[in-house]
Amino acid sequence: MQEAIIAEGLVKTFGDVRALDGVDLSVPTGTVLGLLGPNGAGKTTTVRVLTTLLRPDAGRAVVAGIDVLKHPNQVRRSIGLSGQFAAVDEYLTGRENLQMVGELYQMSARDSKARALELLEWFNLSDAADRPAKTYSGGMRRRLDLAAALVVRPPVMFMDEPTTGLDPRNRLALWEVIQKLVEDGTTLLLTTQYLEEADHLAHDIVVVDHGKVIARGTADQLKAQVGGERVEVVVQDRDLIGTASEVLRGYSRDGVAVDKHTRRLTIPVQGGAKLLAEVIRDLDARGIEIDDIGLRRPTLDDVFISLTGHHAEDADEDEQDTHASGGKSGSGGKTAAAVPAAGDSGKDAA
Amino acid sequence: MTATDTTTVVPKTLAPKTRGGVAQSVHDSLVIAKRNLIRMMRIPEIVVFGLIQPVMFVLLFSYVFGGSINVDGSSDPKAFREFLMAGIFTQTVTFATAGSSAGIAEDMTKGLIDRFRSLPMARGAVLTGRTIADLVQTALTMVVLVAVALLVGWRIHEGLPKALGAFGLMLLLGYAFTWIGALIGLSVRSPEAATSAGLIWLFPVTFVSNAFVPTAGMPGWLQTIADWNPFSATVQAGRVLFGNPGVSQSDAWPMQHPVWASLFWSLLIIVVFRTLAVRKYRSTTA
Ligand SMILES: Nc1ncnc2c1ncn2[C@@H]1O[C@H](COP(=O)(O)OP(=O)(O)O)[C@@H](O)[C@H]1O
Ligand SMILES: [Mg+2]
């Protein structure tokens, strides 16, 4: 079995909304696919179809070698789902939650118990094992939810925006768990609105918007689509934008992009750091004071803009908060995360 | 270990092959029932408030209406209290179904239902488990209520086995009504709506009946409805089996054969509404 997940021509409409409009996917066994798109793009709907929760209007899906529409119950034995909202029973303890899930996967009571113990330890929840999940912090709940998805060590995992709403520390911890799973050979389909998350975790990325796949490839391939490096300059004096533009034109065959409002000038370049130094010297020689200058490599956000004409963030104003907290965390260094979840054990739940 | 083992090992699911069939349905329903009973223990308010209302009804009806309603030609308040209890007991088992509506509606709004639906579990076990847990709760409520009834002077006159039979019929009706409650809970959008929707229909069903007043005083058409009301059959069966006064003398078949009528109605309701509820559950994409 080469492909752990195959989707062909998935269509799903809700009234007038075409939530999925012919989505094709394939995920090789043991790899991570990042399904990337703004709010309402159809990510959750895709996951729901692939995890047997929703019947598509058209199309075909095969997960773990089994036809999703024909044999949903067999598919369910081989998948784990961690949905967009933590799916745990608040009044049950962590242990009871995991045991219940094990028993509903048809494991014996004894096996469920043993597996629950193992997972509680692995997810740093042993201390809180016998407290109702209601008393857990957000990060702990997420971990319990993920543990529940892993009860049967499913070969294929689906995670729908697993880090949405998590603080940076918990986010990094979760990334480590995900990487560990993948090292163990699990195939993972992960949805995210965070471009850097897909960049960081996924082998392949599929960008969806309005229920359609608008791009696919590795992060590097997608970035290459947008073009290479650029030099960006912000000049101090608005009146000198024209002069600066003249200087920069000497370094670019494709012209200079000028944003008068932010006093930002951008040119595509190839020379890298060496060229940057030349540009600085040249501007200096003309007496142009600069507020900021830098070499910019394209991010997936640039990919998004070039594909859809808007920022990923623009899709939904309400989501601004989560974006703001999510957008910056990735660069915060990796020191905070220990295996598999740092700090945040039983203590922080008041 | 051979050299080829160095490639990553794809995990194999720990989930056993599903058994399917009745055995799995029973197993899965019991797992869910256990979950709901644990919740019940952790939210004792639900049980407590479930008790207050029927106890209040016993006391209010006994002392407010007792003496002003004739039972078998007697206005003795004691006769009315004996008459009343089968009605209150049966009303209690049916009113408990409002909790099922709300509980199921609440479950459906939580992500937990997606987890259940993504597991290889028996269809309908989420609902069956809930109805079983609700039945256990109702049975506990009944125990307390019987104690209160005995305190206000209610007695059984036909022996314990028949009385137990009567309680069995009442619980069966309550179980049947739980499936109606489940369907309501699946059909509304929010737990709040489910709480009212799950309660409203119970008022006409329990009041257009022989539960609180003898039907003889109702207009003819209303009496016909009351006589054929599934709820009335169980109340009548209760009175007959407890040996309480006020047994309806109506010619309607359910009033003449209340035990059979009660059994028939309950089983019919279970078959119809369980089918509808399970179908609804499976098609709901909430
Ligand atoms: N159950 C539903 N009923 C009606 N519309 C829905 C339903 N689920 C999703 N949609 C619509 O389908 C589109 C895709 O939704 P979704 O898959 O949840 O997007 P995403 O997860 O990428 O944010 C959205 O426009 C959404 O409003
Ligand atoms: Mg979503």
Side-chain angles (χ1 to χ4, degrees):
Chain A
M1 185 181 62
Q2 265 324 101
E3 309 289 321
I5 304 172
I6 302 169
E8 285 170 9
L10 296 182
V11 174
K12 180 73 197 178
T13 53
F14 297 105
D16 293 342
V17 181
R18 275 181 98 75
L20 299 183
D21 197 1
V23 169
D24 299 309
L25 294 174
S26 78
V27 189
T29 303
T31 68
V32 182
L33 179 79
L35 192 60
L36 180 67
N39 232 310
K43 303 182 296 296
T44 298
T45 307
T46 305
V47 169
R48 291 176 64 86
V49 167
L50 294 174
T51 53
T52 76
L53 299 181
L54 198 63
R55 272 190 93 82
D57 301 335
R60 199 175 81 91
V62 179
V63 170
I66 306 156
D67 190 304
V68 174
L69 297 175
K70 289 201 189 108
H71 306 288
N73 242 15
Q74 284 182 44
V75 170
R76 292 177 189 135
R77 286 181 58 224
S78 300
I79 59 171
L81 167 64
S82 178
Q84 199 167 350
F85 306 99
V88 297
D89 191 312
E90 304 206 308
Y91 288 93
L92 264 52
T93 65
R95 191 193 306 278
E96 287 164 346
N97 264 295
L98 296 180
Q99 278 179 22
M100 174 179 71
V101 170
E103 287 175 25
L104 292 175
Y105 268 115
Q106 315 304 320
M107 286 164 74
S108 72
R110 190 151 55 85
D111 290 351
S112 306
K113 205 173 243 169
R115 181 65 176 153
L117 201 70
E118 205 171 276
L119 285 165
L120 287 165
E121 238 159 69
W122 198 50
F123 282 93
N124 246 334
L125 290 167
S126 298
D127 291 346
D130 295 310
R131 285 206 328 243
K134 193 160 57 107
T135 65
Y136 287 17
S137 69
M140 292 165 75
R141 256 179 237 210
R142 253 290 162 209
R143 265 150 43 211
L144 181 61
D145 183 65
L146 196 53
L150 292 174
V151 164
V152 290
R153 279 210 289 133
V156 184
M157 277 284 293
F158 295 86
M159 296 190 193
D160 195 5
E161 302 198 23
T163 63
T164 299
L166 285 190
D167 60 40
R169 189 184 54 169
N170 276 310
R171 174 183 310 250
L172 286 175
L174 198 63
W175 283 8
E176 296 226 345
V177 174
I178 290 171
Q179 277 160 341
K180 173 83 177 64
L181 285 177
V182 176
E183 275 168 29
D184 290 347
T186 306
T187 306
L188 171 64
L189 189 153
L190 165 105
T191 80
T192 181
Q193 298 185 39
Y194 304 138
L195 308 162
E196 47 147 347
E197 187 161 279
D199 196 358
H200 189 88
L201 293 173
H203 299 105
D204 290 301
I205 295 173
V206 165
V207 186
V208 287
D209 199 22
H210 300 297
K212 282 200 174 78
V213 174
I214 55 173
R216 62 180 89 224
T218 63
D220 287 340
Q221 284 168 348
L222 291 178
K223 286 173 187 171
Q225 274 190 16
V226 187
E229 299 169 325
R230 282 164 298 170
V231 167
E232 267 184 21
V233 184
V234 179
V235 300
Q236 203 174 54
D237 187 347
R238 200 174 299 265
D239 298 335
L240 292 179
I241 288 178
T243 327
S245 176
E246 255 168 57
V247 175
L248 290 176
R249 196 161 293 129
Y251 294 89
S252 161
R253 256 171 292 141
D254 301 329
V256 184
V258 180
D259 183 338
K260 286 221 167 74
H261 185 66
T262 58
R263 308 184 308 278
R264 186 188 302 271
L265 299 91
T266 309
I267 50 166
V269 297
Q270 259 137 30
K274 189 162 160 287
L275 187 112
L276 186 63
E278 280 177 41
V279 174
I280 293 172
R281 247 178 279 131
D282 217 350
L283 288 169
D284 202 34
R286 299 282 197 98
I288 301 169
E289 300 239 21
I290 51 185
D291 273 354
D292 190 21
I293 184 162
L295 192 62
R296 243 192 112 196
R297 298 198 165 81
T299 66
L300 281 170
D301 202 24
D302 299 320
V303 176
F304 218 91
I305 294 167
S306 79
L307 289 169
T308 65
H310 58 77
H311 283 276
E313 281 93 330
D314 291 344
D316 190 328
E317 293 294 322
D318 297 339
E319 289 293 308
Q320 289 294 355
D321 284 351
T322 44
H323 276 291
S325 64
K328 294 184 184 73
S329 59
S331 52
K334 300 205 164 77
T335 46
V339 187
D344 188 26
S345 59
K347 284 166 243 112
D348 55 345
Chain B
M1 281 257 163
T2 62
T4 52
D5 284 340
T6 51
T7 55
T8 47
V9 182
V10 177
K12 250 185 91 60
T13 178
L14 299 177
K17 279 227 151 37
T18 48
R19 286 163 287 177
V22 179
Q24 194 189 331
S25 287
V26 172
H27 167 267
D28 293 355
S29 299
L30 290 179
V31 172
I32 298 289
K34 187 170 115 194
R35 169 225 170 200
N36 283 317
L37 288 172
I38 292 174
R39 284 173 65 92
M40 216 174 268
M41 285 186 324
R42 306 238 162 102
I43 325 174
E45 307 92 276
I46 294 182
V47 181
V48 171
F49 281 106
L51 265 175
I52 290 177
Q53 185 249 333
V55 169
M56 214 160 62
F57 269 40
V58 168
L59 299 175
L60 288 176
F61 275 89
S62 294
Y63 294 103
V64 175
F65 294 137
S68 53
I69 294 175
N70 275 346
V71 174
D72 291 351
S74 150
S75 64
D76 180 4
K78 199 170 168 308
F80 178 72
R81 269 177 243 161
E82 288 236 312
F83 162 83
L84 177 69
M85 288 314 154
I88 300 263
F89 292 155
T90 313
Q91 190 200 32
T92 301
V93 298
T94 55
F95 267 53
T97 64
S100 311
S101 304
I104 284 171
E106 195 190 332
D107 274 355
M108 297 304 288
T109 61
K110 297 269 165 75
L112 190 60
I113 210 74
D114 276 355
R115 161 128 302 132
F116 286 147
R117 295 174 77 240
S118 76
L119 296 176
M121 59 186 285
R123 293 163 178 173
V126 168
L127 300 179
T128 309
R130 153 76 56 180
T131 58
I132 293 172
D134 287 342
L135 185 63
V136 172
Q137 189 193 345
T138 311
L140 292 177
T141 308
M142 287 292 271
V143 170
V144 177
L145 203 59
V146 167
V148 176
L150 288 169
L151 281 177
V152 302
W154 171 76
R155 294 290 180 271
I156 59 171
H157 305 281
E158 297 284 328
L160 196 59
K162 282 193 177 175
L164 290 177
F167 287 122
L169 285 178
M170 290 170 184
L171 290 174
L172 184 67
L173 181 78
Y175 185 70
F177 273 34
T178 308
W179 283 106
I180 304 179
L183 185 63
I184 293 173
L186 290 168
S187 306
V188 296
R189 293 247 156 245
S190 75
E192 293 75 21
T195 308
S196 0
L199 205 54
I200 286 170
W201 65 281
L202 287 165
F203 282 98
V205 168
T206 56
F207 280 88
V208 182
S209 77
N210 57 358
F212 306 109
V213 292
T215 52
M218 296 179 183
W221 60 274
L222 200 60
Q223 192 185 343
T224 306
I225 296 177
D227 282 347
W228 285 89
N229 183 345
F231 181 78
S232 296
T234 306
V235 174
Q236 174 92 339
R239 277 186 196 129
V240 169
L241 294 171
F242 292 143
N244 287 154
V247 171
S248 165
Q249 300 304 318
S250 161
D251 289 339
W253 184 83
M255 292 298 103
Q256 292 296 321
H257 308 89
V259 173
W260 290 115
S262 171
L263 268 177
F264 168 77
W265 278 126
S266 296
L267 294 177
L268 182 70
I269 292 170
I270 291 173
V271 169
V272 171
F273 283 90
R274 188 178 190 281
T275 309
L276 292 176
V278 171
R279 184 178 303 168
K280 183 96 190 164
Y281 169 79
R282 283 167 51 197
S283 67
T284 301
T285 58

mmCIF file of all heavy atoms in Angstrom, chain A residues 37-45 47 84-85 160-161 191 193, ligand 2:
data_model
loop_
_atom_site.group_PDB
_atom_site.id
_atom_site.type_symbol
_atom_site.label_atom_id
_atom_site.label_comp_id
_atom_site.label_asym_id
_atom_site.label_seq_id
_atom_site.Cartn_x
_atom_site.Cartn_y
_atom_site.Cartn_z
ATOM 1 N N GLY A 37 -5.475 26.405 4.194
ATOM 2 C CA GLY A 37 -6.477 27.284 3.596
ATOM 3 C C GLY A 37 -7.100 28.162 4.649
ATOM 4 O O GLY A 37 -7.059 27.837 5.828
ATOM 5 N N PRO A 38 -7.693 29.273 4.217
ATOM 6 C CA PRO A 38 -8.330 30.179 5.178
ATOM 7 C C PRO A 38 -9.624 29.579 5.713
ATOM 8 O O PRO A 38 -10.060 28.525 5.260
ATOM 9 C CB PRO A 38 -8.608 31.425 4.351
ATOM 10 C CG PRO A 38 -8.730 30.942 2.951
ATOM 11 C CD PRO A 38 -7.808 29.760 2.833
ATOM 12 N N ASN A 39 -10.220 30.276 6.637
ATOM 13 C CA ASN A 39 -11.493 29.863 7.191
ATOM 14 C C ASN A 39 -12.535 29.669 6.111
ATOM 15 O O ASN A 39 -12.676 30.500 5.231
ATOM 16 C CB ASN A 39 -11.983 30.961 8.136
ATOM 17 C CG ASN A 39 -12.326 30.392 9.474
ATOM 18 O OD1 ASN A 39 -13.055 29.406 9.547
ATOM 19 N ND2 ASN A 39 -11.792 30.981 10.501
ATOM 20 N N GLY A 40 -13.253 28.547 6.171
ATOM 21 C CA GLY A 40 -14.310 28.314 5.198
ATOM 22 C C GLY A 40 -13.832 27.747 3.883
ATOM 23 O O GLY A 40 -14.600 27.600 2.942
ATOM 24 N N ALA A 41 -12.542 27.384 3.807
ATOM 25 C CA ALA A 41 -11.986 26.881 2.553
ATOM 26 C C ALA A 41 -12.481 25.478 2.233
ATOM 27 O O ALA A 41 -12.511 25.076 1.071
ATOM 28 C CB ALA A 41 -10.465 26.888 2.625
ATOM 29 N N GLY A 42 -12.884 24.737 3.272
ATOM 30 C CA GLY A 42 -13.333 23.363 3.055
ATOM 31 C C GLY A 42 -12.441 22.326 3.722
ATOM 32 O O GLY A 42 -12.565 21.138 3.452
ATOM 33 N N LYS A 43 -11.557 22.766 4.593
ATOM 34 C CA LYS A 43 -10.637 21.838 5.260
ATOM 35 C C LYS A 43 -11.385 20.841 6.142
ATOM 36 O O LYS A 43 -11.197 19.634 6.028
ATOM 37 C CB LYS A 43 -9.623 22.626 6.121
ATOM 38 C CG LYS A 43 -8.820 23.656 5.363
ATOM 39 C CD LYS A 43 -7.812 24.349 6.268
ATOM 40 C CE LYS A 43 -8.420 25.163 7.393
ATOM 41 N NZ LYS A 43 -9.227 26.319 6.944
ATOM 42 N N THR A 44 -12.229 21.382 7.014
ATOM 43 C CA THR A 44 -12.955 20.503 7.933
ATOM 44 C C THR A 44 -13.861 19.546 7.172
ATOM 45 O O THR A 44 -13.942 18.361 7.495
ATOM 46 C CB THR A 44 -13.775 21.340 8.933
ATOM 47 O OG1 THR A 44 -12.872 22.139 9.705
ATOM 48 C CG2 THR A 44 -14.583 20.464 9.868
ATOM 49 N N THR A 45 -14.517 20.058 6.150
ATOM 50 C CA THR A 45 -15.390 19.202 5.358
ATOM 51 C C THR A 45 -14.601 18.057 4.738
ATOM 52 O O THR A 45 -15.045 16.904 4.732
ATOM 53 C CB THR A 45 -16.100 20.037 4.273
ATOM 54 O OG1 THR A 45 -16.740 21.154 4.901
ATOM 55 C CG2 THR A 45 -17.142 19.219 3.548
ATOM 56 N N VAL A 47 -11.852 16.702 5.903
ATOM 57 C CA VAL A 47 -11.521 15.757 6.973
ATOM 58 C C VAL A 47 -12.747 14.929 7.357
ATOM 59 O O VAL A 47 -12.663 13.718 7.557
ATOM 60 C CB VAL A 47 -10.971 16.513 8.205
ATOM 61 C CG1 VAL A 47 -10.870 15.591 9.409
ATOM 62 C CG2 VAL A 47 -9.608 17.112 7.891
ATOM 63 N N GLN A 84 -11.476 19.750 15.286
ATOM 64 C CA GLN A 84 -11.162 21.157 15.477
ATOM 65 C C GLN A 84 -11.404 21.582 16.925
ATOM 66 O O GLN A 84 -10.772 22.481 17.434
ATOM 67 C CB GLN A 84 -12.021 21.981 14.522
ATOM 68 C CG GLN A 84 -11.488 23.367 14.280
ATOM 69 C CD GLN A 84 -12.175 24.022 13.090
ATOM 70 O OE1 GLN A 84 -12.904 23.393 12.342
ATOM 71 N NE2 GLN A 84 -11.936 25.301 12.917
ATOM 72 N N PHE A 85 -12.365 20.904 17.584
ATOM 73 C CA PHE A 85 -12.647 21.210 18.988
ATOM 74 C C PHE A 85 -12.392 19.949 19.802
ATOM 75 O O PHE A 85 -12.752 18.859 19.378
ATOM 76 C CB PHE A 85 -14.083 21.676 19.144
ATOM 77 C CG PHE A 85 -14.417 22.816 18.253
ATOM 78 C CD1 PHE A 85 -15.087 22.611 17.054
ATOM 79 C CD2 PHE A 85 -14.005 24.102 18.577
ATOM 80 C CE1 PHE A 85 -15.367 23.666 16.199
ATOM 81 C CE2 PHE A 85 -14.279 25.165 17.729
ATOM 82 C CZ PHE A 85 -14.960 24.945 16.540
ATOM 83 N N ASP A 160 -7.475 18.193 12.674
ATOM 84 C CA ASP A 160 -8.091 19.388 12.116
ATOM 85 C C ASP A 160 -7.705 20.590 12.975
ATOM 86 O O ASP A 160 -8.165 20.726 14.099
ATOM 87 C CB ASP A 160 -9.603 19.198 12.082
ATOM 88 C CG ASP A 160 -10.295 20.225 11.192
ATOM 89 O OD1 ASP A 160 -9.581 21.013 10.544
ATOM 90 O OD2 ASP A 160 -11.534 20.238 11.159
ATOM 91 N N GLU A 161 -6.863 21.427 12.427
ATOM 92 C CA GLU A 161 -6.364 22.613 13.140
ATOM 93 C C GLU A 161 -5.957 22.275 14.578
ATOM 94 O O GLU A 161 -6.490 22.854 15.530
ATOM 95 C CB GLU A 161 -7.422 23.725 13.116
ATOM 96 C CG GLU A 161 -7.786 24.093 11.691
ATOM 97 C CD GLU A 161 -8.466 25.456 11.593
ATOM 98 O OE1 GLU A 161 -8.279 26.266 12.505
ATOM 99 O OE2 GLU A 161 -9.148 25.695 10.586
ATOM 100 N N THR A 191 -4.750 19.777 8.977
ATOM 101 C CA THR A 191 -5.213 21.033 8.393
ATOM 102 C C THR A 191 -4.710 22.178 9.254
ATOM 103 O O THR A 191 -4.507 22.025 10.447
ATOM 104 C CB THR A 191 -6.750 21.131 8.340
ATOM 105 O OG1 THR A 191 -7.242 21.497 9.619
ATOM 106 C CG2 THR A 191 -7.377 19.833 7.903
ATOM 107 N N GLN A 193 -4.417 26.790 9.357
ATOM 108 C CA GLN A 193 -4.473 28.111 8.733
ATOM 109 C C GLN A 193 -3.125 28.780 8.839
ATOM 110 O O GLN A 193 -2.928 29.866 8.322
ATOM 111 C CB GLN A 193 -5.483 28.992 9.451
ATOM 112 C CG GLN A 193 -6.891 28.492 9.398
ATOM 113 C CD GLN A 193 -7.832 29.498 10.022
ATOM 114 O OE1 GLN A 193 -7.688 30.701 9.853
ATOM 115 N NE2 GLN A 193 -8.819 29.012 10.733
HETATM 116 MG MG MG C 2 -12.427 24.019 9.920
#
